[in-house]
Amino acid sequence: MSCNNSVKSTPVHRIDLPRSVLVGRGVLTSISEICRELGYRKALIVTGKNTWKVAGERTQQILANDGIHCTRTIVGDAQLETVGRVMEEAQKKQVQVLIGVGGGRNIDVAKLAAANTQNAFISVPTVASHDGIASSLASIKGMERLYTVKAISPVAVVMDSGIIASSPYRFTAAGCGDVISKATEVEDWKLAHIENGEYYGAYAGSLALMSSQLIMESAMKIKENTAETVRDLLEALISCGVSMSIAGSSRPCSGSAHLFSHSLDLISDKPALHGEQCGVGAIMMAKLHGLNWERIRDSLKVIGAPTTASHLGIPSEKIIKALVQAQVIRPDRYTILTKIRLNRASAETLAKETGVI
Ligand SMILES: [Zn+2]
C-alpha cells in the first residue's frame, strides 16, 4: 500500500529570532564586533535627543573607531510620518542596518523603518520599560490599528545593564509590570483555545508565563536596581520577545491587561507608561480569571510599580471606562473580557474589589 497520497503538507511555521543577545555591564562596546561579524559596514543610528547623550553618541564613536560608517537621525515621536522620514534617510544613505538606541519610540521607529526598507535592525535599549525592545512588533501612531504591528525581529539585541540600571527606576518597574502581566495574558490565550478553538502554543505560552513567575519571585532583588539585579528583568524581556517570535504573534504577551492599557491610552489625557498600565490591568484581569490576583498586586508593590488608579495618575472614572471599552479595541482577540462582558457597574465593582480605585 502506498502512503504517498495520505501525506499531508503541514503548514510552514517560521520563527525569526535574534542571532546575538548581549546582556551585561559594558556590552555596548561589543556593538562594532557584532556589526563586523554580520557584515555591516554602513549603519544608521535612530535615537532621541536625550538617548543620544545616554548611549547614541557612544555607539557612533565605537562604530566609527572600528571603521564602520555611521550616521544618526534624531526622532521625537513614533508617528507613521517619522517612520517614513527614517526610511528615506536609510535609503538615501544606503545603509545595511538601522540601530535603534533608546526607549520605546526610537526602537519602534527603527524597527518598522528597517522592516520597510529590507534592512537589518539592532536593538540597543537604554531603558527596560517593555518587551518591545526584543520583539518583532512595533507600536506606531497614525496607523489604522491602535495596537502593535508586525515589523522585523532584531538581528541583535545589545542590553547594557550598566546603562539600564542608571535610567530612572520608574522605567524598570514598568518593565516588570509588562512582564508580570503575562500571567493573565497567557491565561487569555488558553481560554481562547478552549472556548474559541484558537491555536495555543504550549512552548510559547509556558515561556511567557515562566518570565512572569520569575519576576514575581525576584521582586525583592529587582528593587535593589543594580546592573546585576536588572539582568533578571532583561532576560525576562528577551524571553517574552522570543515567546512572541515562536508564536508568530503577540498572543502570549498581549491579552486583556494589554487591551485595558491600550484603552487607557485612547481615553486618558495623560496615560501612564505602558508597563505600569498593564501591571494594574493584570491585577484586575487576574481576579476575573480566578487567579491569585493578590500575589500580582503584592509583587508590583514590592517592586514599586503602580497598583492603583492614583499611582497611575488616572481618575477612577477613566479606569472604569477603559475596562468597559477594552475589548472593543480588538474584537478579534478573544480574552476573558470577551467572555465576561463588563458593564459600568461590574467594572466599577472589579476595580473597587481589587483596590485599584
Ligand atoms: Zn506589553
Side-chain angles (χ1 to χ4, degrees):
M1 189 181 82
S2 162
C3 62
N4 283 349
N5 292 337
S6 65
V7 175
K8 283 183 187 163
S9 63
T10 50
V12 175
H13 185 60
R14 181 176 164 150
I15 301 173
D16 291 315
L17 296 169
R19 275 176 62 175
S20 301
V21 177
L22 272 75
V23 184
R25 190 191 279 274
V27 294
L28 186 60
T29 50
S30 306
I31 188 126
S32 59
E33 200 181 308
I34 288 177
C35 284
R36 263 191 292 107
E37 273 173 19
L38 295 167
Y40 306 139
R41 310 300 305 167
K42 271 183 140 185
L44 176 65
I45 294 177
V46 181
T47 190
K49 246 190 215 160
N50 291 330
T51 47
W52 166 252
K53 288 181 214 143
V54 173
E57 195 170 12
R58 259 183 69 210
T59 305
Q60 192 179 38
Q61 279 164 1
I62 293 163
L63 292 170
N65 289 346
D66 215 2
I68 294 164
H69 187 266
C70 180
T71 49
R72 64 139 206 208
T73 183
I74 302 281
V75 300
D77 57 48
Q79 296 284 342
L80 197 53
E81 296 136 36
T82 311
V83 176
R85 177 174 68 72
V86 174
M87 283 166 59
E88 270 175 36
E89 277 198 54
Q91 280 161 336
K92 204 165 75 193
K93 289 169 181 161
Q94 295 187 312
V95 299
Q96 298 150 311
V97 60
L98 278 78
I99 304 176
V101 180
R105 285 191 297 258
N106 317 318
I107 301 265
D108 282 350
V109 168
K111 201 187 289 180
L112 191 57
N116 291 350
T117 52
Q118 278 89 47
N119 279 305
F121 162 63
I122 294 179
S123 176
V124 183
T126 55
V127 292
S129 56
H130 63 93
D131 60 25
I133 55 180
S135 80
S136 59
L137 302 163
S139 179
I140 300 293
K141 294 195 167 67
M143 303 184 82
E144 66 274 21
R145 281 161 62 152
L146 296 160
Y147 40 93
T148 51
V149 289
K150 186 117 175 75
I152 188 175
S153 189
V155 68
V157 186
V158 181
M159 293 175 150
D160 195 316
S161 53
I163 293 171
I164 290 163
S166 311
S167 70
Y169 181 71
R170 182 185 173 193
F171 293 111
T172 301
C176 292
D178 196 12
V179 175
I180 288 174
S181 76
K182 311 313 179 202
T184 53
E185 313 310 61
V186 174
E187 213 58 34
D188 284 320
W189 194 14
K190 284 183 190 162
L191 189 72
H193 174 63
I194 296 162
E195 308 235 336
N196 204 30
E198 283 182 37
Y199 158 80
Y200 172 73
Y203 188 85
S206 305
L207 194 57
L209 198 57
M210 184 183 70
S211 305
S212 169
Q213 296 295 343
L214 287 174
I215 291 303
M216 285 197 267
E217 283 164 25
S218 321
M220 292 294 284
K221 209 169 112 190
I222 284 169
K223 181 83 185 140
E224 291 171 25
N225 194 31
T226 66
E228 286 64 44
T229 59
V230 87
R231 277 184 76 129
D232 285 346
L233 173 61
L234 296 177
E235 284 166 8
L237 292 170
I238 288 282
S239 297
C240 291
V242 169
S243 77
M244 288 188 268
S245 291
I246 293 171
S249 77
S250 63
R251 226 347 169 162
C253 294
S254 177
S256 51
H258 274 63
L259 291 179
F260 168 72
S261 174
H262 296 322
S263 187
L264 274 181
D265 286 341
L266 264 187
I267 61 175
S268 293
D269 312 319
K270 237 181 118 221
L273 294 175
H274 167 82
E276 293 177 326
Q277 296 182 159
C278 290
V280 172
I283 299 171
M284 296 186 283
M285 301 312 152
K287 178 134 195 333
L288 288 183
H289 273 294
L291 298 171
N292 185 350
W293 63 271
E294 290 99 335
R295 187 177 176 226
I296 292 178
R297 178 201 57 195
D298 294 346
S299 304
L300 291 168
K301 264 190 190 168
V302 169
I303 288 163
T307 57
T308 66
S310 66
H311 290 163
L312 291 174
I314 293 173
S316 300
E317 199 48 48
K318 295 220 162 148
I319 298 284
I320 296 166
K321 205 172 163 193
L323 279 170
V324 176
Q325 291 186 357
Q327 193 59 50
V328 182
I329 290 176
R330 195 168 184 182
D332 62 312
R333 180 142 290 183
Y334 191 98
T335 73
I336 191 70
L337 294 170
T338 322
K339 190 177 178 186
I340 303 173
R341 292 265 172 202
L342 290 172
N343 56 32
R344 207 201 166 282
S346 55
E348 186 174 359
T349 305
L350 175 66
K352 279 188 173 160
E353 282 178 355
T354 49
V356 169
I357 62 170

